[in-house]
Amino acid sequence: MLEEVNRLSDYAIIRAHDIATRLLPPQVISQLAYAKNLREVVTILHMTEYGEYISREIEPTPEYLHEQIKKVFIKRCLKLLKVSSEELRDILLEVLRIFEIENLLFIFKKKWAGEKADPSKLVILPFSTINYSSLIETKNVEEFIRLLTSYDVYSEFRSEIISLMGKFNSPLPIEYELYRIRYKRLFDVINKQRFLPDKREIEKIFQIEVDIMNIFLALAPMLYDFSPELIDPLLLPSGHKINIKTLKNVVRSKNRSFVMKALRSYKDIVENIIIKREGEAYVIAQRYLRKELLAHRIPSFISPYYVLSLLKRCEYEFRDLSVIVHGIFYNIPHENIARFLISIYN
Amino acid sequence: MAIVGLRVVPTKGFLLELKRRIEIIKEGYRLLSMKRDELTSRLMELLEHYKAVKKEVMGRAEKIVTRFREIYALLGPETIDANASINRGVLDIDVLPLSIMGILVPTVKALREVSVKNLFGPVIREIVYDLVELFQDMIKVTEIEMKIELLATDLERTNRIVNALEKIIIPEMESVAKYIEDMLEEEGLEEFLRVKLIRNIIVARRGE
């Protein structure tokens, strides 16, 4: 067993500690949020790992900076994947599949409108087996789904989802089906690792993610008049604190106090969703997840959990920097930019 | 002497016709000034309404646009771009004419409302619902603006006619009528003097 653990807690953990030292500290993130313009952002980032990628000679635009930030994120992911054992890599790949799904949704939604997606806008991680160009070239939504389901990863796409999409004329079922597949694969791969240290803790993080996604979904009928018949089949299984039965009751409820009581474990998030401040709710949820990740960081200093937590922190940094560059470019007040950052607190 | 489009003939018949015309024009002038007053009052009402609605809508629009920028920064251009594509070309409207004091103004009737139900995922839906509502309010603001523009154009035209009638046409016609009256009176006096002179001549001849 010890041998198995050692195999998992290999070089990747050491590299994770190395990458962790390069993550931007909260005070730097905060400093970036209060930068006067993109030039100042470039000046600050130049002193960090991002300096290698960002040129001071080029006039900074949000698109250019986003592209460079994306490169650093991809580089970090690849570094971790390269040094991970097979078992750990499987988990990391499923964690990173969220970017593949975001790409697929981008192409799918464009297809839904009869438009062609611009491949330069995709975050393509090299491990992805998806041929995005052929998906972009498909003639319609049906062909897109047919091609997508021909990939092993998405072969368990449920047929009722397609009829649900047709019945409600909504792309939402496809979106949540992709999330369902991602989480199922993720939990399967975690459970497959019999001797994975901190397995419960790793699972918990993703179960909380599922809870949060379900909360946003379950409140849609009450707040935005979504059809409960559409929402019910989309609820994701394997949540942490909220079971499907409770969520189904929430879907059909119009009573705010009942909802607050049923979802009390995520009070702050629910409160913000109810007052239609979903952006804030999303950030609170991500901060909550980050807090959970950091809380277990020290006890898991030499476990694969640390690698996973680092990967998530890299993702938060990527998303935060994207918010900062776009926020500054579009003259969003600094305090508001700071409000939308995940890694701004220790 | 002439009035626009009318050759003045200093006869009794023409004077009677002219006086009848002046009466009709004066009646028209009275009606048009009533229309002008009514249009002014309607326009003032609409302007007040417009000011209130526009202030409210623009205030809300400013908040929504600020919020949109925040959501844009939070979700990233790709997500916004992809979601913006989902809901295109689903608003059907009909522009119906409505008569205000005989002026046809447009009234917008939505045949098919923008439906965003069941379409959008978390975070983006918050701003989508606000934008849809704002879009419908913008149509209302445009409708009021159009009404104001058409009423104002008509008011300007009516005002010009009323002023022309009041300041040029009626005084001119009245002065022509006065001129004809004077001419007729002069002619009458001349005729009287001529008759009197002839009578005197005849009387003088009989006396011889």
Side-chain angles (χ1 to χ4, degrees):
Chain A
M1 183 186 151
L2 195 64
E3 216 172 90
E4 192 78 20
V5 173
N6 283 339
R7 212 150 59 80
L8 281 168
S9 327
D10 54 11
Y11 190 48
I13 300 166
I14 299 162
R15 289 313 298 262
H17 282 285
D18 166 41
I19 294 172
T21 60
R22 292 159 199 242
L23 284 176
L24 300 179
Q27 54 272 30
V28 174
I29 298 270
S30 175
Q31 200 185 346
L32 284 166
Y34 284 87
K36 279 192 208 86
N37 47 40
L38 291 183
R39 264 271 158 240
E40 201 178 319
V41 171
V42 170
T43 311
I44 299 169
L45 286 180
H46 224 265
M47 293 180 279
T48 67
E49 192 186 357
Y50 293 90
E52 278 175 50
Y53 293 84
I54 297 170
S55 163
R56 275 177 156 171
E57 272 74 57
I58 297 171
E59 184 60 36
T61 61
E63 293 78 24
Y64 168 71
L65 290 176
H66 186 264
E67 198 54 40
Q68 307 316 307
I69 294 162
K70 193 161 88 179
K71 278 183 193 163
V72 175
F73 172 64
I74 293 174
K75 187 189 92 179
R76 286 171 177 175
C77 294
L78 288 179
K79 212 182 249 181
L80 283 176
L81 284 171
K82 211 170 140 189
V83 295
S84 295
S85 61
E86 204 180 309
E87 293 83 352
L88 185 57
R89 193 183 304 126
D90 286 347
I91 301 173
L92 296 182
L93 286 178
E94 292 311 323
V95 175
L96 288 170
R97 198 169 297 283
I98 190 69
F99 290 96
E100 184 177 282
I101 289 174
E102 283 179 7
N103 290 340
L104 291 173
L105 289 174
F106 178 70
I107 301 170
F108 173 73
K109 284 175 181 175
K110 285 278 174 190
K111 195 113 322 230
W112 181 272
E115 292 170 17
K116 208 171 169 183
D118 175 1
S120 71
K121 293 189 172 177
L122 306 175
V123 181
I124 302 173
L125 296 170
F127 68 83
S128 178
T129 52
I130 303 286
N131 180 353
Y132 291 112
S133 321
S134 57
L135 282 170
I136 291 171
E137 291 307 323
T138 52
K139 284 192 194 80
N140 48 38
V141 168
E142 289 73 24
E143 203 183 313
F144 172 91
I145 296 170
R146 218 173 304 131
L147 184 58
L148 182 66
T149 49
S150 69
Y151 286 98
D152 260 2
V153 180
Y154 301 102
S155 58
E156 49 178 286
F157 206 92
R158 292 176 293 171
S159 58
E160 62 260 39
I161 288 298
I162 299 164
S163 49
L164 208 60
M165 174 187 82
K167 187 181 170 194
F168 290 95
N169 194 26
S170 165
L172 217 56
I174 307 296
E175 190 171 339
Y176 277 83
E177 182 64 2
L178 294 179
Y179 292 141
R180 186 193 68 81
I181 293 171
R182 185 240 180 175
Y183 283 109
K184 186 179 176 298
R185 288 180 64 90
L186 184 59
F187 290 124
D188 283 352
V189 81
I190 293 170
N191 286 320
K192 219 168 71 185
Q193 315 293 334
R194 283 173 51 222
F195 305 112
L196 178 69
D198 298 318
K199 194 168 157 177
R200 292 286 139 246
E201 292 303 323
I202 294 172
E203 240 180 356
K204 186 181 152 194
I205 292 298
F206 297 106
Q207 284 169 341
I208 295 173
E209 264 189 26
V210 168
D211 274 351
I212 291 163
M213 294 194 83
N214 278 338
I215 289 172
F216 274 104
L217 194 61
L219 289 172
M222 184 174 87
L223 300 169
Y224 300 98
D225 199 28
F226 279 43
S227 308
E229 296 74 30
L230 168 70
I231 301 298
D232 269 352
L234 305 185
L235 292 167
L236 305 169
S238 322
H240 178 55
K241 290 178 186 166
I242 310 164
N243 58 37
I244 292 280
K245 198 181 158 205
T246 311
L247 286 163
K248 284 191 174 174
N249 289 334
V250 171
V251 168
R252 279 174 174 73
S253 172
K254 296 275 174 206
N255 184 336
R256 289 188 181 206
S257 49
F258 167 77
V259 168
M260 286 304 298
K261 203 174 159 195
L263 308 175
R264 61 187 171 279
S265 319
Y266 299 95
K267 190 170 161 268
D268 290 348
I269 300 166
V270 176
E271 270 173 0
N272 274 286
I273 299 175
I274 283 181
I275 57 165
K276 299 191 177 174
R277 305 291 286 176
E278 295 205 349
E280 282 75 359
Y282 170 79
V283 175
I284 292 170
Q286 298 307 316
R287 282 183 187 164
Y288 176 74
L289 270 165
R290 184 172 172 270
K291 206 174 142 194
E292 285 287 327
L293 280 168
L294 294 180
H296 199 67
R297 182 182 43 163
I298 305 298
S300 310
F301 213 63
I302 47 158
S303 110
Y305 179 91
Y306 192 85
V307 182
L308 277 165
S309 93
L310 178 86
L311 196 64
K312 289 294 288 178
R313 284 157 64 203
C314 290
E315 183 190 329
Y316 293 147
E317 187 175 295
F318 167 60
R319 294 193 192 272
D320 279 349
L321 290 178
S322 173
V323 170
I324 289 169
V325 295
H326 289 104
I328 288 174
F329 184 76
Y330 290 105
N331 291 325
I332 297 173
H334 300 301
E335 313 76 59
N336 292 7
I337 296 176
R339 230 176 54 219
F340 288 112
L341 299 177
I342 304 162
S343 336
I344 201 161
Y345 303 112
N346 261 324
Chain B
M1 195 171 195
I3 313 170
V4 184
L6 196 69
R7 199 167 65 84
V8 177
V9 188
T11 62
K12 198 117 187 158
F14 187 83
L15 180 66
L16 287 171
E17 178 59 25
L18 187 63
K19 282 192 170 170
R20 198 180 60 81
R21 280 190 185 198
I22 290 173
E23 278 314 303
I24 293 170
I25 288 174
K26 277 189 173 170
E27 183 62 21
Y29 163 74
R30 201 177 59 80
L31 288 171
L32 281 174
S33 19
M34 274 165 67
K35 183 186 175 184
R36 179 183 62 182
D37 296 345
E38 185 59 26
L39 277 179
T40 312
S41 116
R42 289 279 182 102
L43 202 58
M44 294 311 285
E45 266 173 40
L46 269 175
L47 279 169
E48 284 300 310
H49 180 53
Y50 173 69
K51 261 197 261 176
V53 172
K54 191 163 182 186
K55 194 180 168 194
E56 195 260 317
V57 172
M58 289 327 248
R60 219 148 45 79
E62 203 181 318
K63 276 187 200 159
I64 292 171
V65 170
T66 310
R67 182 70 180 159
F68 178 73
R69 277 193 270 162
E70 289 174 358
I71 300 289
Y72 185 90
L74 181 66
L75 297 181
E78 290 79 26
T79 312
I80 298 288
D81 183 15
N83 281 291
S85 306
I86 291 178
N87 205 36
R88 277 195 183 160
V90 288
L91 174 72
D92 276 348
I93 56 163
D94 199 1
V95 183
L96 302 168
L98 172 80
S99 173
I100 299 178
M101 309 280 303
I103 306 155
L104 293 180
V105 290
T107 310
V108 179
K109 190 181 165 198
L111 298 177
R112 188 156 57 124
E113 297 279 351
V114 180
S115 171
V116 286
K117 189 181 164 184
N118 297 334
L119 281 180
F120 295 96
V123 186
I124 187 87
R125 65 193 175 199
E126 169 207 324
I127 198 73
V128 166
Y129 274 74
D130 283 346
L131 283 169
V132 167
E133 222 173 273
L134 180 70
F135 183 57
Q136 279 159 355
D137 287 345
M138 295 284 233
I139 292 174
K140 274 185 202 138
V141 171
T142 314
E143 186 187 318
I144 302 172
E145 269 175 3
M146 204 60 216
K147 275 182 188 165
I148 290 173
E149 201 178 315
L150 287 169
L151 286 188
T153 310
D154 203 84
L155 176 65
E156 196 190 342
R157 198 174 64 90
T158 311
N159 204 27
R160 240 189 352 252
I161 297 171
V162 169
N163 283 341
L165 287 175
E166 189 186 352
K167 305 248 163 53
I168 302 164
I169 297 171
I170 295 175
E172 205 173 85
M173 286 180 102
E174 278 177 341
S175 79
V176 169
K178 177 88 175 39
Y179 166 76
I180 295 172
E181 267 175 358
D182 289 350
M183 288 281 283
L184 288 175
E185 200 183 318
E186 213 171 287
E187 267 179 28
L189 197 63
E190 229 173 75
E191 190 64 25
F192 175 72
L193 287 172
R194 200 180 298 123
V195 169
K196 206 173 173 185
L197 193 69
I198 292 168
R199 196 198 65 151
N200 286 346
I201 293 167
I202 293 169
V203 170
R205 275 184 191 167
R206 276 186 191 158
E208 278 174 12

